[in-house]
Amino acid sequence: MLQYIIKRLLLSIFTLWVISLIAFGISKLSAGDPVDIILNKGNEEGSLQDRIYLISYKATAQKFGLDKPTFYFSISPKAYPDTLYRIYPQNKRVTLRRWVAQYGNWPNVSTFIQNCEDLENNIQKVSRLHRSDSLIQLRNTYSLLKTRYKKDDTDVLVSKVVRQIKNDSLLKANFFDQGQKINTSYQSIIKNKDKKGLYLPSFNWYGFDNQYHNWLKSMWSGELGISYNEQRPVSKKLNEAIWITIQMNLMAISLAFIIAIPIGIHSARKRGKSFDKYTNLLLFFLYSIPTFWIATMALIFLTTAEYGMDFFPSMGLGNVSRNASGWEQFTTRIEHLILPVLCIAVGSVAFIARQVRGSMQEVLQQDYIRTARAKGLSEGRVIWRHAFRNALFPLITLVANIIPALITGSIVIERIFNIPGMGFVTIEAIFKRDWPVVYAVLMIGAILTVLGILLTDILYALADPRIKFKK
Amino acid sequence: MFWKSKKLKKRIETDKGMSYGKIVFKRFRRDSLTRWSLRLFYLLVFVGLFSDFIANEKPIYCKVDGKTHYPIVEDYLVNLGLLDPMNTLGRPNWRTLEHQGLVLPIIPYSAHKPDQKNMGFSSPFGKQNIESSRYRHWLGTDRIGRDLAAGLVAGTRIALAVGIIAMGIASLIGIVLGLLAGYFGDNQVRISLLRVVLILIGLCIGLFWGFISRSYALKEGALGIQILISLGILLLCVLGFFGLSRLMENMIPGMKKVYLPFDLIIMRMVEIVDAMPAILLILAATSIIRNPSIYNVMIIIGLVSWTTIARFVRAEVIKVREQDYIQAAKALAYSDFRIITRHILPNSIGPVLIVIAFGMAGAILAEATISFLGIGLDDEDITWGYLLNQARGQASAWWLAIFPGIAIFITVTLFNLLGEGLTKALNPKLDT
C-alpha cells in the first residue's frame, strides 16, 4: 500500500511537471510582447525609435527576468546566432529572426541592421540643426525598414533610402556613404543567400538561469510568478480571492449534497414509479441548464427593481464598515452569497442525485439488503445503515471532482455576480493580458485535480480491502 | 415474466433480417423523448444550414429594373468566385430599394446589422419604430438595434459548427489514440531498441527540417500548402530512418528488443490533459489566438476534449480485442491495420457515439460559456452566449436573458437526450 502511494505520488509529480511545461509553453506563445504589456504599451511602429522607451524596456525586461533565455537549452538552425535572445525589444528580435529565416546569413544581416541603426543615430544628432521634409521622409523610411522583412518591401525601402539621401543636399553631404553602405550590405545579404545553415541543427545550453527555471522556482516558493499589471507576486493577488471562492464553493457543494442525497435515495427506492420517472426527467433538465443562464436570470429578475422582485442585494460582496460587528459582517456576506451559491448548487444537485440514484439502485438489488429486510430491520435502518453506506462507495469518485471544483467551479458565476474570487481575478487577468495570473490559476487547478485523483485512489484502497494494488 | 418474454419474442421476430445499425436505430426511436429530440435536431440542422435564407436583410428574390435577382444566392456565388460582383445589385439600401417584386426572408434582418431606428433595447411587446408588422422585431433588439431573432438564427449555425468542428477534432484524436492504446496495449509490439532510437531521431530531424527550418515559409506562404509540405518532410524523415533501421537490423542480427508501451504513453497523455481543468485550459489557450475568431475557440475546445473519447474507445477495444473473431482474423494473418479498421473499429464505435453525443452538448456549453464571457470573439460573431451576455448590462431587457438562454438550454438538452437515447438503444439490458 505504501509502495503504491509512493508510486502514485511520483507519477503525479511527473504529470505536474509536464503540465508546467505546457502552461509555460502556452504562456510563451501568447500574443503580445510581455514587456509591452507590463509597460502598458501597444505595438505601434514609431515606438521603436524612442530611446526612452528602449531604456525602460530594458529595465523592465531585467526586472521581470524576461531578458533571460526561455529554456535550459535550445535547438535552432546554425544560421541563427545563439545570443539572439539578448536582442530587444521583441519586435526587433522577431524581425531579425525572419531575416535570418529568409536569407540564412546572419553576419550580413547583422551588418545591415547595424548600418541602419548607425544611420538612425547619426540622423538624430543632425536633426536638431536641420529640419526638412526629406529628413522626415527618410526617418519614416528607415523606421519602416527595420520592421519589414519581405523582399518586395525591403527592395523598395532600401532604394528609397538611397534616393532620399541623394535628393537632399545636406543629407547627401552627411550621409551619402552610409546610404551606400546600407545598399551594399543589403545587396550582399541577397547575393550571399545561404540556406545551408538553416538545415544544420545547433544545440545551445543556457544553464539554469532561464525563464522557465525561475518561473518554476517561484511556483515552488509559493510566489506563483509576478503579475504583469500589479508588478507583485501573483500569490498576494490570489490570497484573498482564493478564500472567498473556497468558502462559496464549499457552501454550494455541501448544499448540493444535502439536497441531492435524499432525492437520489428516494428515487432509487421508488424505481420505476412515477416519482422516479418525474424526478429523473427533472434532474436531467436541471443537469442540462447552463449555470450562467440561471445566474443571469437570477441577476436580472431577483436583484433589480425592474420587475418588482428585488429580493437580493445585487453585486459583489457588499460593503461593511470596518467597525461593524462580526454578526453584521456575517449576515451581509451570507446575503450576498445566497444567489451565487444556489446557482452553483443547481447543476451539482442534478449530477450528484443521478449518481446517488444509480449506485443506490444497484445496492438495493443485492442479496444482503433482502437479508436485512428479512431479519426484520426497520426500513430506515436498512436504507441508511446497509444500503447507503455501500452505495457511498462509487461516490468516492466524486471526491476527485470536488477538490478542483472548490477553485474552478465558480469562474463564470463570480464574473456574473462580481464576486472578487479566483474566477473573477482570472477573467480580469485574461482581459488585461496578465498571463502569469492565468497560468498560476491553471497550475493551481491542475495540482488540485491531481491531488483529488490521488485521494480517490487512496480512499478506494482504504474503503475496500479487496482492492489490491500491484507495485 | 411470461408476458415479457412474449413481447421480447415479438421484437426479435420483427427485428429479423435487419442490420444491427437498423435495430439500434429502431430501438433508439422507440422512446418518445428521444424521437422528439431527433426531430428537433433535424430542425436545428435545417436552421443552421439555411440561416442566411431565414434571417437576412437581403431579399431572397427581387426584381429590379426588369431583371431578376437572388441576392443571397448571388452572395454565395460571388464569395466562391463564380459570379462577377458587377452583375449583382451590390450593396444598396435594401429597405428603400425600388423594385417590381420582392420576397423577404422570414426575419428581414441580418444578425450583425443594427437597425438604427430601433436602437436601445426595443421590447418585443413595446412600440417599435417600423413601417409595417412585416418588419417587426418579434424578439426585440439589443443596445445598438440588432434583431434578436436574427441573432438566434445566426447563433444556431455557430452552435452546430461548434459541435461538428470541436467534436470532429476531438473524435479524430480520441479514436486514433484510443485504438492504438487499446489494440496494442503495453506488450504487443516488440521492436528492436535500435529501431526505436532511429525512429525517434528521424522524428526529431523531421520536425526540425519540416517546421523549424521552414519557419519563414510557414509564416509567410499559403498556410495550407506549406503545412502539407512540412508534414511531407516529417513523414519522409521518419520513413527514411525506418528504412535505415530495417537495413541495419538485417546486417546486425540478434538486436535487443523492447516492448512499445502504447497504452502507458497514451493513458499518461490522457491523464495530463484531464488534470488541467478544461475551462481554465481553454481560457488560457485563447491567449495564443492573434486574430480572434469563434472558429479558433472551436478548435481549442476540440483539442482539449478528446480524452473522454480516447478512454471510451480504449475500453471498448480492449473488450473487442479478446473476441474470437479477432483471434480468427489474426490467425488468417491479416495485417494489424486491416484488423483495426475492418474488425475492431466497426465493432467498438457504437458506444463511442454516446460519448460523442454528450461531448457535443459539452462543447456547445463550453463555447457558449466562453462567448458569454466575451473572450476570443470577433466583432461579426453573433453567438447565443454573446447575446445572453448583453442582458447583464440592461436588466430591463428580459428578452435578451430569456431567449438565448432557452436556445442554449434546448440544444444542450437535445444532445444530452440523444446521448441518453443512444445509451438505452445500445444497451438493451438497461430497459426492463
Side-chain angles (χ1 to χ4, degrees):
Chain A
M1 182 68 199
L2 191 69
Q3 251 172 338
Y4 172 76
I5 292 176
I6 289 170
K7 191 194 156 198
R8 290 289 331 208
L9 263 177
L10 288 178
L11 273 179
S12 318
I13 289 170
F14 171 77
T15 310
L16 285 176
W17 175 67
V18 177
I19 290 172
S20 84
L21 281 180
I22 294 173
F24 184 76
I26 300 177
S27 77
K28 283 295 127 189
L29 286 174
S30 53
D33 182 354
V35 183
D36 277 340
I37 296 173
I38 299 167
L39 290 172
N40 217 347
K41 197 156 180 150
N43 264 6
E44 66 262 34
E45 263 170 16
S47 65
L48 271 179
Q49 52 194 334
D50 190 351
R51 270 165 175 264
I52 300 163
Y53 164 73
L54 278 182
I55 292 167
S56 63
Y57 187 101
K58 194 174 181 189
T60 319
Q62 260 166 4
K63 193 178 158 201
F64 283 80
L66 290 166
D67 57 340
K68 291 183 179 143
T70 317
F71 202 58
Y72 298 102
F73 61 86
S74 74
I75 298 171
S76 61
K78 231 185 167 71
Y80 293 99
D82 61 341
T83 50
L84 198 64
Y85 69 87
R86 289 195 196 139
I87 290 164
Y88 66 94
Q90 204 185 38
N91 290 350
K92 191 176 162 189
R93 192 161 59 229
V94 170
T95 318
L96 276 179
R97 268 186 169 281
R98 291 192 175 153
W99 276 96
V100 180
Q102 201 175 184
Y103 299 110
N105 44 357
W106 166 245
N108 290 325
V109 171
S110 90
T111 338
F112 170 69
I113 296 290
Q114 194 58 48
N115 286 337
C116 286
E117 271 170 13
D118 284 348
L119 179 71
E120 182 184 352
N121 290 336
N122 287 335
I123 282 180
Q124 254 162 8
K125 275 177 210 154
V126 170
S127 62
R128 287 189 207 99
L129 309 171
H130 178 79
R131 282 179 192 280
S132 71
D133 287 348
S134 54
L135 188 69
I136 294 166
Q137 275 173 7
L138 180 59
R139 188 175 291 167
N140 288 339
T141 324
Y142 72 63
S143 69
L144 270 179
L145 191 55
K146 281 175 28 180
T147 52
R148 296 295 150 91
Y149 48 88
K150 277 187 191 161
K151 192 167 179 298
D152 300 345
D153 291 347
T154 49
D155 274 348
V156 175
L157 285 170
V158 168
S159 61
K160 228 180 181 179
V161 167
V162 174
R163 204 175 56 238
Q164 278 166 352
I165 290 178
K166 249 187 216 164
N167 285 350
D168 189 88
S169 58
L170 191 95
L171 290 180
K172 194 176 175 185
N174 282 314
F175 306 121
F176 184 72
D177 287 347
Q178 277 181 327
Q180 288 306 314
K181 252 190 188 168
I182 290 181
N183 195 19
T184 47
S185 58
Y186 178 68
Q187 296 307 335
S188 79
I189 291 180
I190 293 181
K191 227 182 277 159
N192 302 330
K193 199 169 174 177
D194 173 25
K195 286 206 159 178
K196 276 200 298 298
L198 287 175
Y199 292 94
L200 291 174
S202 82
F203 181 86
N204 304 308
W205 174 257
Y206 292 121
F208 287 101
D209 191 20
N210 58 50
Q211 289 183 34
Y212 173 72
H213 193 77
N214 292 339
W215 182 70
L216 215 56
K217 263 201 299 204
S218 87
M219 279 284 154
W220 183 252
S221 68
E223 254 188 15
L224 307 175
I226 293 171
S227 156
Y228 286 166
N229 285 109
E230 303 187 4
Q231 319 213 341
R232 57 173 185 158
V234 175
S235 58
K236 291 222 171 88
K237 199 173 168 160
L238 294 180
N239 207 356
E240 257 172 63
I242 203 165
W243 291 114
I244 296 173
T245 304
I246 289 182
Q247 207 178 42
M248 204 163 80
N249 281 309
L250 260 185
M251 281 199 255
I253 291 169
S254 336
L255 187 72
F257 269 100
I258 293 170
I259 300 172
I261 288 178
I263 294 180
I265 290 177
H266 197 66
S267 92
R269 280 180 63 197
K270 304 269 171 188
R271 184 178 187 178
K273 302 267 172 60
S274 59
F275 174 83
D276 179 35
K277 270 186 192 156
Y278 290 120
T279 40
N280 199 20
L281 204 64
L282 184 74
L283 289 177
F284 193 85
F285 286 123
L286 223 54
Y287 178 65
S288 305
I289 288 187
T291 337
F292 58 88
W293 182 38
I294 306 185
T296 314
M297 299 271 276
L299 187 76
I300 285 180
F301 290 108
L302 299 180
T303 69
T304 58
E306 197 77 42
Y307 305 97
M309 292 187 288
D310 188 8
F311 301 136
F312 296 96
S314 56
M315 294 280 209
L317 285 173
N319 293 319
V320 191
S321 58
R322 253 163 207 273
N323 42 18
S325 66
W327 175 249
E328 199 181 324
Q329 281 183 2
F330 178 73
T331 47
T332 331
R333 176 63 63 98
I334 292 292
E335 221 178 12
H336 281 85
L337 283 183
I338 289 178
L339 274 187
V341 163
L342 281 178
C343 289
I344 303 169
V346 166
S348 322
V349 165
F351 181 69
I352 298 168
R354 279 165 71 84
Q355 298 272 331
V356 172
R357 173 174 169 270
S359 76
M360 257 320 246
Q361 265 181 5
E362 207 153 283
V363 170
L364 283 176
Q365 287 175 336
Q366 300 291 323
D367 288 339
Y368 56 79
I369 298 298
R370 200 180 308 133
T371 317
R373 289 221 171 94
K375 273 202 301 192
L377 292 180
S378 68
E379 184 66 16
R381 214 174 155 80
V382 171
I383 293 295
W384 290 103
R385 281 297 279 278
H386 292 256
F388 183 61
R389 285 179 78 173
N390 284 299
L392 267 181
F393 189 61
L395 297 182
I396 291 178
T397 329
L398 286 180
V399 174
N401 297 332
I402 288 173
I403 290 183
L406 284 179
I407 298 291
T408 59
S410 56
I411 291 181
V412 190
I413 299 290
E414 282 172 20
R415 174 87 186 153
I416 295 170
F417 288 102
N418 273 358
I419 291 164
M422 290 281 272
F424 188 80
V425 172
T426 313
I427 287 167
E428 284 289 276
I430 289 175
F431 281 120
K432 288 180 184 161
R433 301 197 296 168
D434 194 353
W435 306 126
V437 177
V438 182
Y439 298 108
V441 177
L442 181 65
M443 278 311 286
I444 295 175
I447 291 171
L448 290 177
T449 315
V450 169
L451 270 182
I453 295 170
L454 196 68
L455 201 65
T456 320
D457 285 349
I458 294 171
L459 279 180
Y460 257 116
L462 291 177
D464 189 348
R466 282 171 304 178
I467 295 180
K468 290 251 160 41
F469 292 100
K470 277 179 268 166
K471 274 170 251 167
Chain B
M1 277 299 151
F2 177 67
W3 55 273
K4 224 170 220 173
S5 69
K6 208 170 173 185
K7 207 173 157 190
L8 196 70
K9 217 170 165 186
K10 202 174 151 200
R11 202 193 298 162
I12 290 167
E13 262 164 28
T14 49
D15 285 353
K16 230 176 232 170
M18 284 166 82
S19 71
Y20 177 65
K22 267 189 184 157
I23 297 172
V24 168
F25 190 66
K26 201 179 130 199
R27 239 184 272 147
F28 180 62
R29 287 182 50 95
R30 217 171 52 217
D31 188 47
S32 67
L33 214 54
T34 320
R35 211 158 49 232
W36 275 106
S37 40
L38 202 63
R39 281 175 199 153
L40 206 57
F41 173 69
Y42 294 144
L43 180 71
L44 275 187
V45 172
F46 177 80
V47 173
L49 279 179
F50 298 103
S51 63
D52 286 339
F53 296 92
I54 296 172
N56 211 324
E57 55 168 358
K58 291 174 186 168
I60 296 173
Y61 157 85
C62 65
K63 202 167 180 189
V64 179
D65 302 333
K67 262 177 91 180
T68 310
H69 285 278
Y70 299 92
I72 301 172
V73 182
E74 281 169 5
D75 259 13
Y76 282 120
L77 294 177
V78 168
N79 282 339
L80 287 171
L82 296 174
L83 186 72
D84 185 12
M86 296 305 288
N87 293 338
T88 65
L89 288 169
R91 292 164 177 270
N93 186 345
W94 297 102
R95 292 280 172 275
T96 54
L97 189 71
E98 297 222 349
H99 57 81
Q100 289 89 43
L102 191 75
V103 177
L104 277 171
I106 303 169
I107 301 161
Y109 293 100
S110 286
H112 57 269
K113 284 273 174 59
D115 174 10
Q116 256 111 20
K117 284 183 283 178
N118 289 297
M119 290 203 321
F121 305 102
S122 298
S123 168
F125 301 131
K127 209 172 154 354
Q128 290 179 355
N129 184 6
I130 41 177
E131 294 116 64
S132 70
S133 66
R134 180 72 184 83
Y135 291 106
R136 193 168 176 81
H137 297 279
W138 291 104
L139 298 182
T141 66
D142 68 358
R143 185 184 301 278
I144 59 172
R146 288 175 294 196
D147 186 66
L148 179 60
L152 289 182
V153 171
T156 312
R157 172 177 280 188
I158 288 184
L160 289 176
V162 172
I164 293 164
I165 294 178
M167 272 302 113
I169 294 172
S171 11
L172 193 71
I173 304 174
I175 290 176
V176 169
L177 291 184
L179 279 174
L180 287 178
Y183 184 73
F184 289 118
D186 277 341
N187 45 13
Q188 295 286 319
V189 183
R190 199 158 177 239
I191 59 174
S192 70
L193 200 60
L194 180 84
R195 188 174 287 188
V196 177
V197 172
L198 279 179
I199 287 176
L200 278 180
I201 291 175
L203 198 67
C204 290
I205 290 182
L207 282 175
F208 183 80
W209 282 351
F211 292 92
I212 299 181
S213 297
R214 303 187 71 251
S215 61
Y216 185 77
L218 280 173
K219 263 189 194 117
E220 300 303 325
L223 200 65
I225 302 162
Q226 297 296 343
I227 282 185
L228 281 183
I229 295 176
S230 286
L231 285 175
I233 293 176
L234 176 65
L235 200 69
L236 271 182
C237 287
V238 174
L239 285 181
F241 273 86
F242 185 76
L244 188 70
S245 70
R246 283 195 114 161
L247 218 69
M248 285 172 79
E249 262 168 20
N250 286 341
M251 288 194 297
I252 321 164
M255 204 85 68
K256 197 188 167 196
K257 289 199 165 185
V258 287
Y259 287 116
L260 276 192
F262 276 98
D263 196 31
L264 188 81
I265 295 169
I266 290 170
M267 287 325 278
R268 196 79 333 151
M269 278 165 64
V270 168
E271 221 166 81
I272 286 166
V273 176
D274 271 354
M276 292 182 269
I279 183 86
L280 271 178
L281 185 58
I282 295 169
L283 286 178
T286 48
S287 70
I288 303 178
I289 301 172
R290 253 78 179 168
N291 30 352
S293 152
I294 194 71
Y295 292 94
N296 291 329
V297 175
M298 295 178 198
I299 293 171
I300 290 173
I301 294 175
L303 290 178
V304 167
S305 49
W306 54 270
T307 51
T308 329
I309 300 176
R311 270 177 206 272
F312 245 76
V313 175
R314 173 177 171 272
E316 276 306 306
V317 172
I318 287 176
K319 251 187 261 166
V320 172
R321 191 179 67 185
E322 303 303 323
Q323 303 287 323
D324 288 340
Y325 56 85
I326 302 296
Q327 295 298 320
K330 276 186 183 163
L332 285 168
Y334 285 163
S335 70
D336 284 335
F337 182 76
R338 179 171 172 154
I339 296 176
I340 290 179
T341 51
R342 301 273 286 271
H343 302 276
I344 300 250
L345 189 60
N347 284 305
S348 50
I349 204 73
V352 179
L353 289 178
I354 301 170
V355 197
I356 292 178
F358 283 122
M360 290 251 186
I364 290 170
L365 199 57
E367 186 276 325
T369 311
I370 284 169
S371 52
F372 178 77
L373 294 171
I375 291 168
L377 277 185
D378 189 27
D379 295 339
E380 297 253 308
D381 293 330
I382 306 281
T383 71
W384 291 340
Y386 170 78
L387 291 169
L388 181 58
N389 184 32
Q390 290 191 313
R392 284 206 305 143
Q394 185 77 9
S396 58
W398 53 268
W399 53 96
L400 282 172
I402 290 181
F403 298 121
I406 288 179
I408 301 171
F409 172 58
I410 287 181
T411 316
V412 171
T413 316
L414 176 87
F415 281 107
N416 278 338
L417 280 172
L418 288 180
E420 194 93 326
L422 269 175
T423 318
K424 277 184 197 154
L426 287 163
N427 303 314
K429 272 188 224 153
L430 277 183
D431 51 34
T432 39

